[in-house]
Amino acid sequence: MTPKEMAKLIETKAKNYNYKKFLVSSKEAERYYRNENDILRKSKKSREVEPLRNADNRIPRNFHGLLVNQKAAYMFTAPPLFDVGEKQINLKIAEILGDRYAKACKDLCVNASNSSVAWLHYWVTEEGTFEYGVIDSNQILPIFSSDLNQRLLALLRNYKILDESNGKEMVIWEYWTKKESFAFRTEAKGYSHLNLQYYPFYSDSPEIEDGYYLSHNYGEVPFIPFYNNNIEKNDLNDIKPLIDAYDKVFSGFLNDLEDTQEIIFVLTNYGGTDLEEFLHDLKKYKTIQLEDDGSGDGKGSLETLTISIPIEAREKFLEITRKAIFEQGMGVDPDPQKFGTASGVALKYLYSLLELKAGFMETEFKLGFAHFVRAICRYLGVKCERIIQTWTRTAVTNDAELAEICQKSVGTVSTESILKAHPLVEDVEKEKEQLEVEEKKEQEKSNLYVGVFQEEDEKNKQGVNKDGEFD
């Protein structure tokens, strides 16, 4: 692909209305995830318009960040496990996934919750090792087929780097297909009139004309989408109006509290010369001088003016809005009064909405993880027909109740199923190995006792007494 063809493709795809709408929505959700709500962006109050209003507090509440992190911890504190049918291959897959796998899962969840889709990129290094990483969703511009399967035909990725030679910020555009990839760089920030030049993003990239490209044998575009739900929608859309309303009322309540501390004095026929003298006399003598207006009717007076605050109405509104946020956001309100000594059934009910939301994400993420595991199997050179995924939720549970259920299930349910459900077991395979070791030791003890009894029985048959003498 030539720079001219690439520039035309970028201009056509990047100016698409849906892509622009996606970027706006994604960046807005990421901003709310960082607790940078719209209330922080409102213009300052003008004292000319509202002379009695001096306080201007802006207090954002990070409900969106709480709900996203809650879902990520609930689903991926214990990341999914994969079984392709052979233990040795499972161990190799786990080795390739490595220690960062759990973090990658949480990053995918957060990105998908904010951007409606997360992207995982995998590649093989120059040394021949398999690597992968989570890519910022805002960098990706996918090109899908128009059929029902919506296969990923190609992908555009853009990101910024600092050119060390001149200190300028450069924009890198990568174009990936199922056979090769090209990289270009430009100083332009917009999409029009791009002055693209080839960019050598791999040192061993074959040279074409004055640039470079990368030929790969992945058999597909090495980027995998992980969708947030079946309608490709982020988690902020349903709760943003409620969060904005909560921030507005909460901040307004604090502003009213500050403004009511400033008493407004209403003076009639003050005998002093200026307001500074009035404040000085009031502070020093606790009294002020008032005069008659001369008519005999108008006496001097001092009154105060304060602002009344409808506290009960605001408390009720904040309570209702908070409840609506967790209902619309399909999360668990971390109010300790809602937990207490709740039983397993009650706790499951509290997690019902979160489980429903997690179920939609799990359905979409299973497709992405299956795609990823098959890519690893291709790298290993092994067949991977069926992949069993084991997902574990992390939630507040009644451990005593679960342990009792497991104990009563012995003989009815398989040992492996009981171990998976037991609250004290974290790694089922290790627990099974430990049980086998303990069972072997018990068997050795049992064999030792049987041997002693058999020896005694043999002596008795031969007529030998306890002292080792014949009767």
Side-chain angles (χ1 to χ4, degrees):
M1 174 173 284
T2 65
K4 186 176 181 180
E5 291 172 337
M6 182 65 176
K8 183 64 176 177
L9 178 64
I10 293 173
E11 186 177 356
T12 302
K13 296 296 182 181
K15 283 187 175 183
N16 183 275
Y17 170 76
N18 290 331
Y19 178 65
K20 289 183 177 180
K21 184 179 178 182
F22 165 81
L23 285 181
V24 171
S25 178
S26 175
K27 291 180 178 179
E28 182 180 61
E30 290 176 355
R31 181 164 52 83
Y32 270 69
Y33 181 74
R34 296 191 300 267
N35 202 25
E36 299 171 5
N37 300 358
D38 281 352
I39 193 169
L40 298 175
R41 294 190 159 198
K42 290 185 177 181
S43 58
K44 295 288 184 180
K45 289 182 179 180
S46 173
R47 296 194 64 177
E48 295 180 357
V49 178
E50 296 183 274
L52 301 182
R53 297 287 186 174
N54 296 321
D56 189 22
N57 294 286
R58 315 289 181 88
I59 312 296
R61 294 296 295 270
N62 196 12
F63 287 113
H64 176 60
L66 170 62
L67 288 168
V68 171
N69 290 337
Q70 188 180 83
K71 181 172 68 171
Y74 180 64
M75 296 183 66
F76 296 110
T77 296
L81 302 176
F82 309 111
D83 182 5
V84 297
E86 294 186 29
K87 187 174 182 179
Q88 292 302 320
I89 298 177
N90 291 341
L91 292 175
K92 289 182 180 180
I93 292 174
E95 184 180 353
I96 290 176
L97 293 176
D99 297 334
R100 58 195 171 132
Y101 169 57
K103 183 182 184 305
C105 289
K106 288 186 178 180
D107 289 344
L108 286 171
C109 179
V110 172
N111 286 4
S113 300
N114 288 330
S115 303
S116 74
V117 60
W119 289 90
L120 185 72
H121 175 40
Y122 67 87
W123 67 97
V124 178
T125 65
E126 298 175 7
E127 293 77 20
T129 58
F130 187 95
E131 297 290 344
Y132 66 94
V134 179
I135 304 296
D136 184 357
S137 301
N138 296 330
Q139 297 180 359
I140 303 298
L141 205 168
I143 302 172
F144 292 104
S145 63
S146 57
D147 56 19
L148 294 177
N149 292 326
Q150 289 191 325
R151 293 173 291 107
L152 185 61
L153 300 178
L155 181 140
L156 286 165
R157 179 191 173 199
N158 72 93
Y159 52 93
K160 296 178 181 178
I161 64 169
L162 187 65
D163 191 340
E164 296 180 357
S165 62
N166 55 22
K168 293 183 179 181
E169 191 176 64
M170 305 293 294
V171 179
I172 305 300
W173 282 92
E174 296 178 8
Y175 179 67
W176 290 82
T177 68
K178 65 179 182 179
K179 292 183 179 180
E180 57 192 5
S181 63
F182 299 85
F184 304 84
R185 66 178 181 179
T186 179
E187 295 182 13
K189 294 184 179 180
Y191 299 134
S192 301
H193 308 294
L194 290 173
N195 182 22
L196 294 176
Q197 297 177 347
Y198 285 112
Y199 176 69
F201 60 172
Y202 283 109
S203 59
D204 61 345
S205 300
E207 187 171 346
I208 53 171
E209 297 179 1
D210 58 342
Y212 302 82
Y213 79 103
L214 174 69
S215 178
H216 61 78
N217 58 352
Y218 305 141
E220 62 180 6
V221 181
F223 288 80
I224 304 172
F226 290 77
Y227 294 102
N228 188 40
N229 45 49
N230 60 319
I231 57 176
E232 301 179 24
K233 185 179 180 182
N234 67 33
D235 287 352
L236 179 65
N237 288 344
D238 290 337
I239 59 175
K240 183 181 182 300
L242 294 169
I243 294 176
D244 291 340
Y246 192 100
D247 289 345
K248 183 178 180 180
V249 173
F250 187 87
S251 300
F253 184 47
L254 178 58
N255 291 336
D256 287 347
L257 289 177
E258 288 192 10
D259 287 333
T260 54
Q261 296 177 8
E262 300 182 9
I263 300 176
I264 301 173
F265 296 98
V266 181
L267 298 173
T268 304
N269 297 331
Y270 172 57
T273 57
D274 55 32
L275 293 179
E276 289 186 4
E277 182 182 351
F278 159 72
L279 294 174
H280 177 269
D281 293 345
L282 183 63
K283 183 177 181 181
K284 185 175 181 179
Y285 303 109
K286 309 299 181 184
T287 59
I288 57 173
Q289 179 183 357
L290 299 175
E291 297 179 351
D292 195 332
D293 62 357
S295 63
D297 295 330
K299 296 181 179 180
S301 64
L302 170 63
E303 298 178 359
T304 59
L305 179 64
T306 58
I307 302 173
S308 61
I309 304 175
I311 297 178
E312 292 184 2
R314 295 195 180 192
E315 285 183 346
K316 190 64 177 177
F317 177 83
L318 293 176
E319 179 185 346
I320 294 173
T321 306
R322 179 188 175 92
K323 181 180 179 182
I325 288 173
F326 282 99
E327 287 180 351
Q328 288 289 100
M330 302 177 72
V332 179
D333 189 345
D335 186 350
Q337 297 180 2
K338 297 181 180 296
F339 290 89
T341 57
S343 65
V345 176
L347 288 172
K348 284 185 178 181
Y349 177 77
L350 286 173
Y351 280 85
S352 59
L353 288 177
L354 179 57
E355 177 58 34
L356 182 63
K357 181 170 64 172
F360 274 94
M361 172 173 274
E362 180 181 329
T363 301
E364 302 297 329
F365 270 44
K366 275 186 174 180
L367 298 175
F369 280 124
H371 192 159
F372 183 43
V373 171
R374 287 190 171 89
I376 296 176
C377 289
R378 284 197 302 271
Y379 165 76
L380 295 173
V382 298
K383 290 185 178 180
C384 181
E385 296 179 357
R386 185 186 178 193
I387 302 173
I388 299 176
Q389 300 186 25
T390 302
W391 290 65
T392 304
R393 303 285 194 259
T394 302
V396 177
T397 58
N398 190 326
D399 290 348
E401 187 176 10
L402 288 175
E404 183 180 356
I405 293 173
C406 290
Q407 185 178 6
K408 292 180 178 179
S409 300
V410 175
T412 305
V413 181
S414 67
T415 302
E416 185 167 355
S417 297
I418 293 174
L419 290 176
K420 288 181 179 179
H422 202 288
L424 298 181
V425 177
E426 294 183 358
D427 191 320
V428 176
E429 293 299 326
K430 287 185 178 180
E431 189 66 24
K432 287 168 65 177
E433 292 176 1
Q434 183 62 30
L435 286 174
E436 290 176 0
V437 171
E438 294 180 0
E439 185 178 352
K440 186 177 181 181
K441 288 182 179 180
E442 290 295 327
Q443 186 65 38
E444 291 175 354
K445 287 182 180 180
S446 176
N447 293 338
L448 179 63
Y449 291 141
V450 170
V452 172
F453 290 139
Q454 288 178 347
E455 184 179 350
E456 288 292 331
D457 187 56
E458 188 66 28
K459 288 181 180 181
N460 291 334
K461 288 181 179 180
Q462 294 178 4
V464 180
N465 58 23
K466 293 181 179 180
D467 297 327
E469 299 176 352
F470 288 97
D471 292 335

